[in-house]
Structures are given as structure tokens and as C-alpha cells.
Amino acid sequence: MTETEDAYISAPVQRAARLLRHIGEGDAVTNMADTARRIGINRTTLLRLLRTLEAERFIERRGGGELGWRIGTGLIGLAAQAFYSDDLVQVAVPVLTRLADTLGLSAHLGVLDGREVVYVVRRVPNLAFASNIRVGSRLPAHAANMGRIILAHLGEEAVRHLFGKDALAAATPHTPTNLDALLERLATDRAAGLAWSDGHYEAGIGSVAAAVLDATGAPVAALNVSGARDSFVGEARRAEIGRAVLAAAREISARLGWTGAGHSASGAHLRVVA
């Protein structure tokens, strides 16, 4: 029995799905007779489907004076919710495990909670040196590179609202201690697409972080790798680490629904900071 002959398949739903697929593939339904013929329905049925899908916000009229239809925010939101059902931690764990093993560095995932970044995943390589940070640890977002890269993607207005005019506590002499200095540091991180630290939070420890984005391009987390500063020595080694971290962040982001659109680091050039 073919799919169309299955007694449990709803023909109206199947026709609606075909119409959505056509619109998603670029058919704006500017010629109703042609679209109806390709889908295998009459024009009256097509008109009813269009009106119903519009009422459910699965499609919307094209803007800018253009005729026809495009996929609507209701359907986009539904798809985004399906992606969000993939728990962030569940998605991130295998990626971070592979990253730690590949680079021989400790890998972490953190989320922003107010002015702090909270560690929610930790994966360490099978080596003598490994990060001693624990899941649940909290670090000041303006000082730790996972916090910095999330803040860099939030935008200046959000950062100003979060920190106001308060003085910022210094973890090391490298920590920005006022809003202007922080915004300057974040601009550098945003341009690079990565936030580097060469002992800037903890002496002797090197690290680099990248943002994890959701379907809208907003930062929902960050990941980093860390290890002895000697592990980051050399332009080729730093480039290798930077590429791997950025690729891992993009992989997790893609599983959360990010497609490369929005205010993301996807367009940033990978810049190795010496």
C-alpha cells in the first residue's frame, strides 16, 4: 500500500503539507492555476488552504509590494521549538568530549546567569593535566572568557544595562575594571569570533571560548577549552585550537536550530591572537 493509499492519512493535511513544501521551496503562489495543477488540487481548495494557513500564521503575504506568499512566523516558531527540545547539555556533551580528546585540553560549557557564567558541562582528556573547575562553578562574566564571548554577542546596549556604571572587580591585572574597558575588550572578541585568554584569569592557564547560538542567532551559552599555557604556544597550534573550538560551537548551535543567520559570529574572521 502506498502512502497516499493509507487509510489513516488525512488528505486535507497532506495537501496542506504539499502546499507548505512548495512555498518553502520558492513557489510564492503568484499563479494559482499553476500551483493548483502541480499540487493536484483545484483553485477553490488552494484558496481555502492559503486562507487557513495564513490564519494559523504558517504562511504570510510577502512584503515590499511583492505578490504571493512566504513561510510565516508561526511555522518558523514551531520548527524552532522542535530544535529547542534538544536539551543544550545533551547536545553539547558528545561534542565537548570529542573536542577534549582531539585537542588534549579540558572542554567546558557555560551559561550566563546575571553577571556570572555558570559551568554546566566539563569534559577532560586522559592526560596528567586537566582543568579542576567543577560543574556549577561560577565566574565573573566580564573576567572569564566564556562570559566575555556571550556578552560580546549580546550587544552593547544589553551589556550597558547589565553592568551599568558599577566598577568591575579585577581577577588579574588584565581584567577590565570599568564598562568602557569591557566594551573595548568585547569588541575585540566579537571581531575575532573567539575570546582568548593567556593567563588573563588564572596564571599559567591558556584558554579560548566561542559562543553557542540559538535559532535566532542569540547567544545561549559558550564553550571553551583550557590547559597549560604551553599547550597554546605557536601560531599553528593556536590556529588549530581556534578552528576546532569555533567548529564545535557551530555544531552545537546548528543542533539548536541556528542556520547562520542573525547576530552571530558566523561572519567573523578567525583571528589568531599572539
Side-chain angles (χ1 to χ4, degrees):
M1 178 178 290
T2 66
E3 180 178 279
T4 54
E5 294 171 340
D6 190 330
Y8 289 97
I9 287 180
S10 168
V13 173
Q14 191 174 55
R15 287 193 289 267
R18 287 174 179 169
L19 176 56
L20 286 171
R21 192 174 298 114
H22 272 274
I23 294 174
E25 292 171 352
D27 179 3
V29 197
T30 54
N31 185 325
M32 293 189 62
D34 181 61
T35 300
R37 178 182 53 79
R38 286 193 286 165
I39 296 178
I41 60 178
N42 60 51
R43 292 182 59 180
T44 301
T45 300
L46 174 59
L47 181 59
R48 287 174 176 165
L49 287 174
L50 289 171
R51 293 289 177 82
T52 303
L53 293 172
E54 182 185 28
E56 295 296 324
R57 298 189 303 116
F58 281 10
I59 62 173
E60 60 188 26
R61 296 180 189 272
R62 296 200 296 177
E66 292 184 284
L67 298 176
W69 308 82
R70 64 187 178 191
I71 295 299
T73 55
L75 185 58
I76 294 171
L78 187 64
Q81 289 174 9
F83 281 117
Y84 294 154
S85 67
D86 270 346
D87 179 74
L88 174 63
V89 170
Q90 180 179 339
V91 169
V93 164
V95 179
L96 292 180
T97 301
R98 185 172 69 246
L99 184 65
D101 291 341
T102 299
L103 295 178
L105 299 168
S106 298
H108 314 92
L109 185 80
V111 297
L112 192 66
D113 182 17
R115 298 184 182 185
E116 297 178 314
V117 62
V118 182
Y119 281 67
V120 294
V121 175
R122 171 179 178 263
R123 286 294 180 269
V124 298
N126 187 22
L127 297 172
F129 178 90
S131 163
N132 60 6
I133 196 102
R134 293 289 181 261
V135 170
S137 296
R138 291 175 173 266
L139 300 181
H142 71 281
N145 64 356
M146 282 205 297
R148 280 168 36 206
I149 200 64
I150 295 174
L151 294 174
H153 284 71
L154 284 179
E156 181 174 329
E157 183 178 349
V159 174
R160 287 186 180 277
H161 178 75
L162 184 61
F163 289 95
K165 297 181 179 180
D166 296 343
L168 305 178
T172 73
H174 300 282
T175 306
T177 55
N178 59 66
L179 184 58
D180 288 341
L182 175 60
L183 290 173
E184 183 178 352
R185 179 69 58 82
L186 298 182
T188 299
D189 295 337
R190 186 164 50 249
L194 294 165
W196 294 86
S197 175
D198 295 296
H200 292 175
Y201 186 80
E202 184 177 355
I205 302 298
S207 181
V208 61
V212 173
L213 311 173
D214 68 10
T216 69
V220 292
L223 65 84
N224 77 358
V225 294
S226 64
R229 287 186 65 181
D230 290 348
S231 302
F232 290 77
V233 171
E235 184 175 346
R237 172 60 171 167
R238 289 173 72 86
E240 175 194 17
I241 293 172
R243 283 193 296 269
V245 167
L246 200 54
R250 287 173 173 169
E251 181 179 349
I252 297 171
S253 299
R255 289 288 297 144
L256 297 177
W258 177 67
T259 61
H263 55 289
S264 69
S266 61
H269 298 289
L270 177 61
R271 180 159 57 87
V272 179
V273 179

